[in-house]
């Protein structure tokens, strides 16, 4: 009996866009690939952990039926906790599905990546309860309450490693597939910084840019409310026309109506992670990269599972076809190896030999040995 092509899968962080990971896994299995190892940050850890435990189908059936009002109820809002959302109601459902499973007992090797806020470094969970590792990995700063575990203040893995390829280095895989949820909507990655003036400019110069950028964050009514403040003026709008008088001189327009602190935190986190993702992918290039645009949905749109799963399926099929990757019999390649790393993460209750390695298939194509 011939072996299937073995894949090491790195699932990135990105809130509700992480539903796309479900579609990625579905397409890989339909095409005959064997998932030999999974590493995930934030939503990638949740989806990856459930798949490694054999419970992803049950979770998928549940989230497909969620409506917006269901999501509001499940988010478990808190006014006093360090995060605005406790997320315990969601985690209760995940715990029921996992039924006390431990990472080291899973049929598929799994790593959940979190961030130790005290030590300023990433933590790899490769042993212990799956649900606890997932809970630590999904704690988005300021949004979902962080957790204390073994003397560590743990938060979202996407803070330090939004696409965790390095933890898959020990998987015996033929190729590595990474899924980034922070793709650029239009501008190419690595675009030059934008030069602008601090002087107010006519609305006609920036209205289109505002519509494009704000549409990623706010709904159409909010965008329209901002533009209506300026009408169709072709001259720079006086400051006093859009902001109330203040003691100090004011040079800025009013913020978009309805923009809350969640919007700003997520937009700031997305901006930071988009840069970090490029650096991580440059250091650990995968064989196949599936990129989900960060404007595909907002980070808390957990009622859009059906749409995001389908998008994940479409993008995965396109990425595999463009790369010319098919599920051929395995050659027994080993995507693992020992390598040093200046930012070597902590391995919580686990044994990992190295933190820096690239897929053996990529190394073979470059004509260099696997690290």
């Amino acid at each position: 009996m011939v072996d299937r092509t073995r894949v090491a899968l790195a699932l990135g962080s990105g809130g509700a866009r992480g539903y796309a990971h479900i579609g990625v896994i579905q397409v890989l299995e339909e095409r005959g690939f064997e998932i030999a190892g999974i590493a995930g940050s934030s939503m990638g850890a949740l989806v990856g952990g459930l798949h490694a435990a054999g419970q992803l189908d049950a979770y998928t059936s549940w989230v497909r039926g969620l409506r917006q009002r269901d999501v509001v109820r499940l988010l478990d809002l808190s006014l006093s906790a360090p995060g605005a959302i406790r997320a315990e109601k969601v985690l209760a459902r995940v715990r029921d599905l996992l039924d006390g499973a431990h990472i080291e007992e899973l049929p598929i090797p799994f790593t959940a990546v979190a961030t130790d806020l005290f030590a300023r470094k990433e933590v790899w969970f490769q042993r212990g309860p799956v649900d606890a590792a997932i809970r630590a990995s999904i704690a988005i700063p300021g949004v979902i309450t962080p957790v204390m575990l073994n003397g560590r203040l743990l938060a979202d893995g996407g803070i330090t490693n939004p696409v965790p390829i390095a933890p898959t280095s020990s998987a015996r895989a033929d190729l590595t597939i990474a899924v980034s949820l922070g793709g650029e909507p239009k501008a190419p990655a690595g675009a030059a910084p934008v030069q602008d003036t601090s002087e107010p400019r006519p609305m006609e110069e920036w209205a289109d840019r505002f519509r494009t950028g704000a549409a990623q964050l706010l709904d159409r009514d909010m965008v329209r409310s901002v533009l209506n403040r300026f009408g169709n003026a072709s001259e720079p709008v006086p400051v006093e026309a859009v902001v109330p008088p203040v003691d100090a001189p004011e040079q800025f327009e009013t913020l978009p109506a309805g923009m809350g602190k969640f919007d700003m935190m997520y937009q700031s986190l997305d901006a930071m992670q988009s840069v970090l993702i490029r650096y991580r992918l440059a250091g650990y290039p995968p064989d196949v990269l599936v990129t989900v645009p960060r404007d595909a949905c907002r980070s808390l749109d957990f009622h859009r599972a059906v749409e995001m799963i389908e998008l994940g399926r479409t993008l995965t099929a396109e990425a595999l076809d463009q790369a010319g990757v098919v599920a051929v019999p395995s050659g027994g390649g080993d995507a693992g190896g020992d390598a040093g790393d200046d930012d070597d993460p902590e391995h919580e209750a686990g044994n990992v030999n190295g933190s820096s390695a690239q897929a053996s298939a990529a190394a073979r194509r470059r004509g260099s040995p696997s690290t």
Side-chain angles (χ1 to χ4, degrees):
M1 179 178 178
V2 296
D3 293 332
R4 293 182 294 167
T5 300
R6 294 167 60 84
V7 171
L9 193 56
L11 304 179
S13 61
R17 295 189 298 276
Y19 285 139
H21 295 318
I22 299 173
V24 173
I25 291 171
Q26 289 176 348
V27 169
L28 291 176
E29 293 194 323
E30 289 169 5
R31 294 198 176 197
F33 293 96
E34 177 184 354
I35 298 176
I38 304 173
S41 285
S42 195
M43 192 65 173
L46 191 151
V47 172
L50 286 166
H51 179 69
Q55 296 298 323
L56 186 57
D57 288 345
Y59 175 78
T60 302
S61 298
W62 178 55
V63 298
R64 280 180 177 274
L66 292 179
R67 299 295 179 262
Q68 193 165 18
R69 62 180 178 273
D70 301 321
V71 172
V72 172
R73 176 177 54 84
L74 288 168
L75 288 181
D76 197 17
L77 298 178
S78 170
L79 297 178
S80 58
I85 297 171
R86 285 188 293 261
E88 292 307 315
K89 293 180 180 178
V90 175
L91 266 295
R93 176 59 175 165
V94 172
R95 290 190 188 100
D96 288 343
L97 293 173
L98 291 171
D99 194 24
H102 279 58
I103 297 174
E104 63 271 24
E105 299 170 353
L106 298 177
I108 300 174
F110 170 66
T111 302
V113 178
T115 299
D116 185 341
L117 296 179
F118 289 154
R120 307 291 197 270
K121 65 192 308 181
E122 64 187 280
V123 179
W124 295 358
F125 287 99
Q126 297 180 319
R127 295 181 63 84
V130 181
D131 64 308
I134 291 173
R135 176 62 182 85
S137 184
I138 67 171
I140 304 168
V143 180
I144 297 180
T145 309
V147 296
M148 283 293 300
L149 180 64
N150 299 331
R152 305 182 190 278
L153 179 61
L154 297 169
D156 197 287
I159 299 172
T160 49
N161 199 344
V163 185
I165 298 174
T168 67
S169 62
S170 61
R172 296 185 59 85
D174 299 298
L175 72 158
T176 300
I177 297 177
V179 185
S180 167
L181 304 180
E184 295 290 339
K186 288 186 177 181
V194 177
Q195 297 184 6
D196 206 342
T197 175
S198 59
E199 293 288 340
R201 303 299 302 161
M203 188 188 76
E204 62 188 15
E205 293 186 13
W206 53 261
D208 288 341
R209 183 179 69 250
F210 175 80
R211 288 191 188 96
T212 301
Q216 303 169 25
L217 181 63
L218 308 172
D219 61 37
R220 293 178 182 176
D221 290 338
M222 294 180 186
V223 174
R224 191 180 300 113
S225 72
V226 175
L227 295 178
N228 285 343
R229 291 175 181 265
F230 300 96
N232 295 315
S234 59
E235 298 297 326
V237 179
V239 171
E240 58 270 16
V242 293
V243 295
V246 292
D247 294 334
E250 182 60 71
Q251 298 176 322
F252 308 110
E253 294 90 16
T254 54
L255 292 175
M259 178 180 286
K261 63 180 180 179
F262 283 174
D263 301 317
M264 292 308 303
M265 284 188 291
Y266 272 116
Q267 195 77 344
S268 300
L269 190 61
D270 280 346
M272 177 191 71
Q273 288 186 342
S274 66
V275 176
L276 185 55
I277 286 171
R278 292 199 291 270
Y279 281 109
R280 287 287 187 173
L281 292 177
Y284 310 108
D287 297 291
V288 177
L289 176 63
V290 179
T291 302
V292 178
R294 65 172 180 265
D295 63 344
C297 77
R298 289 180 286 185
S299 295
L300 290 180
D301 285 348
F302 289 104
H303 58 288
R304 297 175 62 181
V306 173
E307 178 185 345
M308 289 298 101
I309 292 171
E310 188 59 34
L311 178 62
R313 292 181 59 88
T314 299
L315 294 175
T316 302
E318 291 175 355
L320 291 173
D321 292 343
Q322 290 174 5
V325 175
V326 294
V328 296
S330 173
D334 186 348
D338 296 343
D341 193 325
D342 292 338
D343 297 320
D344 185 35
E346 300 270 349
H347 303 165
E348 186 69 17
N351 298 312
V352 180
N353 293 325
S355 66
S356 174
Q358 297 175 2
S360 59
R364 288 195 297 271
R365 286 200 302 270
R366 292 191 300 269
S368 59
S370 176
T371 57

